Amino acid sequence: MTDVPKDVRGLDHIDLELLSLLQADGRMPNNALADRVGIAPSTCLTRIRRLREIGAVRGFHADVDPAWIGRPIQAMIAVRIRSDAREAIGRFAESLAGIPAVRDVYFISGNYDFLLHVACADVDDLRAVITERLSGTRLIAGTETYLIFEHRRGA
Amino acid sequence: MTDVPKDVRGLDHIDLELLSLLQADGRMPNNALADRVGIAPSTCLTRIRRLREIGAVRGFHADVDPAWIGRPIQAMIAVRIRSDAREAIGRFAESLAGIPAVRDVYFISGNYDFLLHVACADVDDLRAVITERLSGTRLIAGTETYLIFEHRRGA
DNA sequence: AGTGAAAGGAGCACACA
DNA sequence: TGTGTGCTCCTTTCACT
C-alpha cells in the first residue's frame, strides 16, 4: 500500500521516475523520457543503460494477448515436488520455463512449491502439459489446476 | 505444449513471428524486425500498428525488478468474495488494479475468485494490503497468502 | 497489402564542464 | 554526473505497384 517505497538501494527519485515511466510505456523515446524527468537526453541514456546493467530493468517486452497467438486457454497450475526430489527443483523449474505454454513461474511458500501460469491452445493442450510435463516426470507429488478467466496487469 | 498454435484469427506467420520477436525484445527497432521477418520497414510498421489496434499487442512495458523500487516482498494472495457480493466483483477488482502493490490480477476458477500478485515494501506493508484493502472491505469472505520466493518469466 | 525514396527525428559517442 | 554537439541510423509518410 505504501506509495513511496523506503528501500531504494541507491536509486534517486529521477531513476524511480524513469522506471515508472518505462513500466507504463516501454517504448517511450529517450527524448520524451528526458523531457519528462527534466534531464538532458544523453544523461537519460546513461541512466537507463545503468538501470539495465544493475538489473533494475530486466528487459523490455510486448504484452501479447495469448488468445491472438492461438493460446486462448489460460490456467494457473500449483505444483508440489516430491520431497525426495527437492534438489532437482532448480533444474526442473528451468526446464519448465522453456515450455512454450509457460508464461510465468512463481516459487512460493505453502503446500505447493510453485505456481505455473500457462497459456494453451485448448483443453487437450493443457492436459498434455499437466500429464506429460508435470505428473509424468516422477518429480511431481501433485498438482492443482485453476482456469484463468481473465488476467489484468496492475498499475 | 503445442509449439505451433491452431487458432490464429487471421494472423499470418509473419505476424506471429513479429509478436514472438517483440515479446522477447520489446525495444527491437522496426528496421531489425523488418529484416528478421523479411519485409520492408514501412510494411513492418503498418503491421505492428495493426497488431496494436486489434489488441494482439496490448502494450509495451519495461520488466522492472520490484526489489529495486523498494518492494522486495512479493506474495500471491488468493481472494474469495462473499457470495452475497458477487455483483460487486468487477468494480472491486478494478479498484484492486489501482493499488500500487498490485502487479497482476488473475480471475480464476476454484475455491477462490482471484489471485493477486503483489509486491510490497515489507511485511507490514503486505499486512496492510491484506487487512485494509481486502479483509477490511466486507466484500471478502477469505484470503490465503503465499510468499513468492522468486518469479521467472517463461520463454 | 507491399515497396522504395526522402525528410525529419531519435539514438548514441565523444569532448568538455 | 551532467551537458551540448554532431554524425549516423531509424522512423514515418507518401506516391506507386
Side-chain angles (χ1 to χ4, degrees):
Chain A
M1 260 198 51
T2 319
D3 278 45
V4 181
K6 300 169 189 173
D7 168 23
V8 288
R9 297 205 267 173
L11 302 188
D12 62 17
H13 72 102
I14 292 179
D15 288 318
L16 293 174
E17 216 173 325
L18 288 172
L19 290 173
S20 166
L21 288 166
L22 285 172
Q23 203 160 30
D25 178 6
R27 289 213 126 181
M28 188 177 293
N30 183 63
N31 250 326
L33 282 168
D35 260 12
R36 292 283 231 103
V37 303
I39 57 179
S42 47
T43 313
C44 191
L45 207 67
T46 313
R47 276 186 183 256
I48 287 161
R49 198 173 306 163
R50 185 172 142 271
L51 290 172
R52 299 200 66 162
E53 276 165 7
I54 64 179
V57 172
R58 293 186 286 215
F60 293 90
H61 307 280
D63 177 16
V64 175
D65 185 342
W68 279 99
I69 53 174
R71 299 181 176 281
I73 306 293
Q74 288 181 253
M76 193 69 83
I77 309 175
V79 180
R80 183 171 41 241
I81 297 281
R82 282 180 43 181
S83 51
D84 57 356
R86 279 282 146 71
E87 357 73 43
I89 194 171
R91 265 179 305 115
F92 181 62
E94 220 152 298
S95 77
L96 289 180
I99 301 175
V102 173
R103 290 174 69 94
D104 299 272
V105 184
Y106 298 96
F107 293 77
I108 56 167
S109 66
N111 287 327
Y112 290 92
D113 294 291
F114 45 88
L115 294 173
L116 245 47
H117 174 202
V118 299
C120 299
D122 48 42
V123 178
D124 283 343
D125 188 18
L126 174 59
R127 186 176 58 183
V129 170
I130 297 169
T131 61
E132 294 171 24
R133 311 300 295 255
L134 299 174
S135 313
T137 64
R138 281 173 208 87
L139 288 169
I140 305 300
T143 68
E144 205 159 317
T145 301
Y146 311 98
L147 283 180
I148 296 171
F149 301 128
E150 195 185 337
H151 174 205
R152 294 190 202 167
R153 285 176 52 93
Chain B
M1 257 194 54
T2 319
D3 279 44
V4 180
K6 300 170 190 173
D7 169 22
V8 289
R9 297 206 267 173
L11 302 188
D12 62 17
H13 72 102
I14 292 180
D15 289 318
L16 294 174
E17 217 173 325
L18 288 172
L19 290 173
S20 166
L21 288 166
L22 285 171
Q23 202 159 32
D25 178 5
R27 290 213 126 182
M28 188 176 292
N30 183 62
N31 246 329
L33 282 168
D35 259 13
R36 292 284 231 100
V37 304
I39 56 178
S42 49
T43 313
C44 190
L45 205 67
T46 313
R47 277 187 184 253
I48 288 162
R49 201 172 312 173
R50 184 172 143 270
L51 290 172
R52 298 201 67 162
E53 276 165 6
I54 63 179
V57 172
R58 293 186 286 215
F60 292 91
H61 308 280
D63 177 16
V64 174
D65 185 342
W68 279 99
I69 53 173
R71 299 181 177 280
I73 308 293
Q74 289 181 253
M76 194 69 83
I77 310 175
V79 180
R80 182 171 42 242
I81 298 280
R82 282 181 44 183
S83 51
D84 57 356
R86 279 283 146 71
E87 357 73 42
I89 195 171
R91 267 179 302 114
F92 180 62
E94 220 152 298
S95 77
L96 290 179
I99 300 174
V102 174
R103 289 175 69 95
D104 299 272
V105 184
Y106 298 96
F107 293 77
I108 56 167
S109 65
N111 286 325
Y112 291 92
D113 294 292
F114 45 87
L115 294 173
L116 245 47
H117 174 202
V118 299
C120 298
D122 49 42
V123 178
D124 283 344
D125 188 17
L126 174 58
R127 187 177 57 183
V129 170
I130 297 168
T131 61
E132 293 172 23
R133 310 301 295 255
L134 299 175
S135 313
T137 63
R138 280 172 210 87
L139 288 170
I140 305 300
T143 68
E144 206 159 315
T145 302
Y146 312 97
L147 283 180
I148 295 171
F149 302 127
E150 195 186 337
H151 174 205
R152 293 190 204 167
R153 285 175 52 94

